[in-house]
């Protein structure tokens, strides 16, 4: 018997009402166990607020304008909902907006009030039940009776938690552990923690790899024969935007491969600021006024073999042979003085800092561990915009004062506000971007889905009772918008607490 949407919604309501993580996991594991294999990816997508179809052209205004009487007893299945969303997502061309609204209204007429509320929240990014990917990974592990680490690794390598869940529940641990890298399919990137200095970072390792940290766009490079694919850190395929980069990659040795790199704008004597790199990238990639240059700093797969379980020094040796002078400036050392001199050279060339990495570290796809440390002379944090206030004076008509949140478990907690550091061009861009994420208005404040990441420079952190996070940012200013990052990449409340004055 097909899984009813009502069963999914009931589980979602249990998850939302449960403050304890274990209770959330149990509710999710139960509904996953009741789903047929082909239903599992659908359930996973709905429960984490990310339907398989992605954005389908239905936003807050479209959902909010629906006035459809709910039915008393739901008969719509999870598969039926998924089919309808696929149909709506495929609508395009003249008249598609009207057709989309009509089909959406028909769909709403097949649902109960609780089903309407749930699906509306899923489509508008307003799902607030604590069932983010981390909780779902644990639930899949519980439902399939296997270690969380095995599910997490499978999901990172496949780039698809829903598909990994299907494999886990239908094929078991052996099938999940058989999931490997496949060139052409994006992989969640490894992430770094923060250290205050090179010396602090190196104190954790016997020997360190020190690399320049570029203020650019993370780019994952895949090649399988003549097929070359380029992915951002959010796993968006941007191959068509970067024909020049594709030609560069054709010159690399080895096949197939998956490489990790950074794309940065190159000026006449200094690298471009991130905002200029991002602007060129968004307006047509390497056809813009700023030349975009690719540097590579790691390898995940080469010559048909996964390399993520090789130590970093071994991966770098293979990488030098493959990419030559496209390897990011790199040294391997146990000498702090040598590393600090390297850092000074990197800063003098206009880059933002260095990465310090354990020479023995493996590539932990999708994880922010302690084996990679970013060191920057100015304290910067990636925070998520929770709301923005309409400006006044010369900023009238622009969303200006940003409400900033840090990750705390599966939620985002407000830690401060700022209206500083933004150019007119940045204000114009964020006003448009944030209105597309709008979920509610309260006076002059526009509340938004927590999706837009901003890089915030601060002078420090202090204790405060003003904000829910118990912290306040000292002299916070916007350094850059980071649409290339997802909210899951944002810094944590714990990382800010570590900077308490």
């Amino acid at each position: 018997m097909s899984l009813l949407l009502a069963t999914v919604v009931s589980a979602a309501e249990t998850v939302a009402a449960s403050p304890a993580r274990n209770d959330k996991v149990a509710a999710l594991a139960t509904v996953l166990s009741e789903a047929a294999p082909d239903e599992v990816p659908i359930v996973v997508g709905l429960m984490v607020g990310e339907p398989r179809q992605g954005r389908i052209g239905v936003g807050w205004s479209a959902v909010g304008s629906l006035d459809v009487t709910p039915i008393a007893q739901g008969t719509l299945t999870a598969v039926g909902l998924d089919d309808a969303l696929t149909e709506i997502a495929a609508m395009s061309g003249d008249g598609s907006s009207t057709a989309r609204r009509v089909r959406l209204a028909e769909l709403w007429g097949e649902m109960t009030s609780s089903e309407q509320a749930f699906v509306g929240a899923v489509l508008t990014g307003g799902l607030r039940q604590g069932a983010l990917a981390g909780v779902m990974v644990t639930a899949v592990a519980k439902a399939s009776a296997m270690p969380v680490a095995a599910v997490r690794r499978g999901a990172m390598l496949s780039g698809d938690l829903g598909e990994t869940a299907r494999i886990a529940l239908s094929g078991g641990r052996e099938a999940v552990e058989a999931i490997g890298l496949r060139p052409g399919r994006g992989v969640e990137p490894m992430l770094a923690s923060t250290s205050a200095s090179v010396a602090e970072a190196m104190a954790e390792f016997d020997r360190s790899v020190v690399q320049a940290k570029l203020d650019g766009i993370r780019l994952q490079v895949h090649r399988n024969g003549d097929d070359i694919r380029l992915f951002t850190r959010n796993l968006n395929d941007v191959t068509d935007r970067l024909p020049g980069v594709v030609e560069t990659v054709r010159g690399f040795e080895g096949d197939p491969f998956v490489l990790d790199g950074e794309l940065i704008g190159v000026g006449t004597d200094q690298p471009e600021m991130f905002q200029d790199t991002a602007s060129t990238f968004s307006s047509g990639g390497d056809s813009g006024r700023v030349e975009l240059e690719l540097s590579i700093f790691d390898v995940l797969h080469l010559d048909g073999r996964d390399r993520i379980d090789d130590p970093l020094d071994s991966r770098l040796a293979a990488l030098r042979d493959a990419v030559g002078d496209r390897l990011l400036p790199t040294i391997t050392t146990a000498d702090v003085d040598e590393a600090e001199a390297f850092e000074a050279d990197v800063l003098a060339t206009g880059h933002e800092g260095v990465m310090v990495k354990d020479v023995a570290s493996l590539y932990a796809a999708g994880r922010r561990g302690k084996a990679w440390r970013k060191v920057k002379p100015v304290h910067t944090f990636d925070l998520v915009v929770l709301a923005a206030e309409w400006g006044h004076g010369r900023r009238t008509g622009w969303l200006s004062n940003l409400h900033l949140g840090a990750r705390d478990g599966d939620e985002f907690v407000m830690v401060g506000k700022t209206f500083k550091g933004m150019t007119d061009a940045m204000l114009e861009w964020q006003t448009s971007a944030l209105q597309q994420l709008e979920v509610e208005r309260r006076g002059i404040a526009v509340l938004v889905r927590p999706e837009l990441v901003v890089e915030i420079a601060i002078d420090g952190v202090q204790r405060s009772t003003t904000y829910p996070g118990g912290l306040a940012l000292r002299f916070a200013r916007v350094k850059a918008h980071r649409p290339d990052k997802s909210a899951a990449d944002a810094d944590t409340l714990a990382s800010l607490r570590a900077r308490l004055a």
Side-chain angles (χ1 to χ4, degrees), residues 311-363:
L312 178 55
D313 55 351
S314 175
R315 300 201 306 273
L316 288 176
L319 193 58
R320 288 187 180 92
D321 292 336
V323 303
D325 61 4
R326 290 289 176 171
L327 178 65
L328 202 65
T330 300
I331 63 169
T332 301
T333 183
D335 187 323
V336 172
D337 289 340
E338 182 182 5
E340 288 178 340
F342 178 82
E343 178 191 33
D345 289 342
V346 167
L347 294 173
T349 62
H351 296 305
E352 67 172 358
V354 294
M355 299 288 296
V356 179
K357 305 176 181 180
D358 183 356
V359 72
S361 62
L362 312 184
Y363 192 100

Side-chain angles (χ1 to χ4, degrees), residues 407-473:
R407 283 190 302 115
D408 185 24
D410 300 319
E411 307 294 338
F412 295 97
V413 179
M414 188 173 176
V415 292
K417 300 181 182 181
T418 187
F419 56 84
K420 300 180 183 296
M422 291 172 274
T423 64
D424 287 356
M426 294 170 72
L427 286 163
E428 182 177 359
W429 183 88
Q430 79 179 19
T431 299
S432 174
L434 291 174
Q435 287 185 94
Q436 295 176 45
L437 301 176
E438 179 180 344
V439 295
E440 185 182 346
R441 295 201 180 194
R442 296 179 186 172
I444 64 170
V446 175
L447 280 62
V448 299
R449 298 195 301 270
E451 295 181 11
L452 177 61
V453 176
V454 287
E455 186 177 3
I456 301 293
I458 61 173
D459 284 0
V461 178
Q462 59 193 28
R463 290 181 175 84
S464 172
T465 58
T466 302
Y467 302 112
L471 307 173
L473 309 176

Side-chain angles (χ1 to χ4, degrees), residues 49-66:
E50 298 176 2
R52 297 187 315 121
Q53 297 79 6
R55 298 287 178 82
I56 65 170
V58 173
W60 180 78
S61 60
V63 171
S65 65
L66 288 169

Side-chain angles (χ1 to χ4, degrees), residues 20-275:
R21 180 184 174 93
N22 286 344
D23 292 341
K24 295 178 188 291
V25 168
L28 291 169
T30 297
V31 73
L32 288 172
S33 298
E34 295 176 6
D38 63 331
E39 296 170 332
V40 169
I42 299 171
V43 173
V44 170
L46 292 173
M47 294 297 280
V48 300
E50 298 176 2
R52 297 187 315 121
Q53 297 79 6
R55 298 287 178 82
I56 65 170
V58 173
W60 180 78
S61 60
V63 171
S65 65
L66 288 169
D67 184 16
V68 180
T69 302
I71 60 177
Q73 184 70 37
T75 59
L76 183 64
T77 65
V79 171
L81 172 62
D82 186 68
D83 289 342
L85 297 182
T86 299
E87 181 184 345
I88 293 171
M91 293 177 178
S92 62
D94 293 341
S96 60
S97 295
T98 300
R100 198 177 290 120
R101 286 195 298 270
V102 170
R103 184 65 183 94
L104 192 65
E106 292 174 349
L107 177 62
W108 242 239
E110 299 178 53
M111 296 189 288
T112 65
S113 58
S114 59
E115 290 169 348
Q116 288 178 351
F118 173 75
V119 176
V122 169
L123 295 182
T124 60
L127 199 63
R128 298 288 182 269
Q129 60 184 31
L132 297 177
V135 180
M136 182 59 77
V137 165
T138 305
V140 172
K142 181 178 178 65
S144 58
M146 70 176 64
V148 173
V151 176
R152 182 183 297 115
R153 179 184 172 92
M156 297 311 172
L157 297 184
S158 72
D160 188 332
L161 176 56
E163 178 61 13
T164 301
R166 185 194 66 77
I167 293 171
L169 288 161
S170 60
R173 182 170 179 175
E174 184 176 346
V176 169
E177 291 180 343
I179 297 173
L181 283 169
R182 189 174 72 198
R185 182 177 64 190
V187 181
E188 299 264 355
M190 185 171 177
L191 305 174
S193 300
T194 302
S195 288
S197 67
V198 167
E200 178 184 285
M202 292 182 67
E204 302 291 327
F205 314 135
D206 292 333
R207 285 175 61 79
S208 301
V209 169
V210 187
Q211 295 180 312
K213 186 180 188 313
L214 310 189
D215 191 16
I217 295 172
R218 187 88 171 258
L219 201 67
Q220 195 173 102
V221 178
H222 293 240
R223 179 176 180 177
N224 190 2
D226 292 332
D227 184 28
I228 293 174
R229 314 305 301 172
L230 307 174
F231 297 93
T232 65
R233 64 186 296 148
N234 293 335
L235 306 188
N236 295 321
D237 189 332
V238 293
T239 310
D240 292 343
R241 293 192 198 178
L242 302 166
V245 174
V246 169
E247 289 308 307
T248 296
V249 173
R250 290 195 192 281
F252 292 165
E253 298 293 328
D255 181 34
F257 57 63
V258 179
L259 311 176
D260 204 348
E262 194 87 5
L263 195 66
I264 190 168
V266 180
T268 54
D269 55 356
Q270 291 249 321
E272 295 289 332
M273 298 288 289
F274 173 82
Q275 212 69 33

